[in-house]
Amino acid sequence: IYPNPAKNNIYVKADNTLINNVTITDIMGKSVYQSINESALEITVPVNALSSGVYFIDVMTNNGITRLRFVKE
């Protein structure tokens, strides 16, 4: 994912598999964003509506789920 820290958007890129779904949760575990049926190698996730802080992004692909951390400025 890039950029990190982010202001307006995060770009999620997968190398050799399609991104199916993306979920963002706050530090307390509350879901604050979820995409549906992306099926792309790279997607844009809007984060401009999120408050500043630390978040986790779960990226679901055909190979499983990867959890990454990012900071919203």
Side-chain angles (χ1 to χ4, degrees):
I1 64 169
Y2 64 94
N4 190 6
K7 288 185 180 184
N8 296 313
N9 295 309
I10 286 182
Y11 304 94
V12 182
K13 184 176 180 182
D15 287 330
N16 296 318
T17 187
L18 295 177
I19 299 167
N20 299 322
N21 202 356
V22 171
T23 302
I24 296 177
T25 55
D26 65 16
I27 200 74
M28 301 301 287
K30 179 183 174 186
S31 178
V32 294
Y33 176 86
Q34 185 167 347
S35 69
I36 299 171
N37 299 327
E38 291 292 341
S39 296
L41 290 175
E42 184 173 4
I43 63 169
T44 302
V45 179
V47 296
N48 54 335
L50 299 178
S51 300
S52 297
V54 176
Y55 292 87
F56 295 98
I57 184 165
D58 294 327
V59 182
M60 182 183 298
T61 67
N62 294 334
N63 294 337
I65 298 174
T66 301
R67 173 169 273 197
L68 303 165
R69 184 182 70 88
F70 74 93
V71 175
K72 165 63 169 76
E73 288 186 334

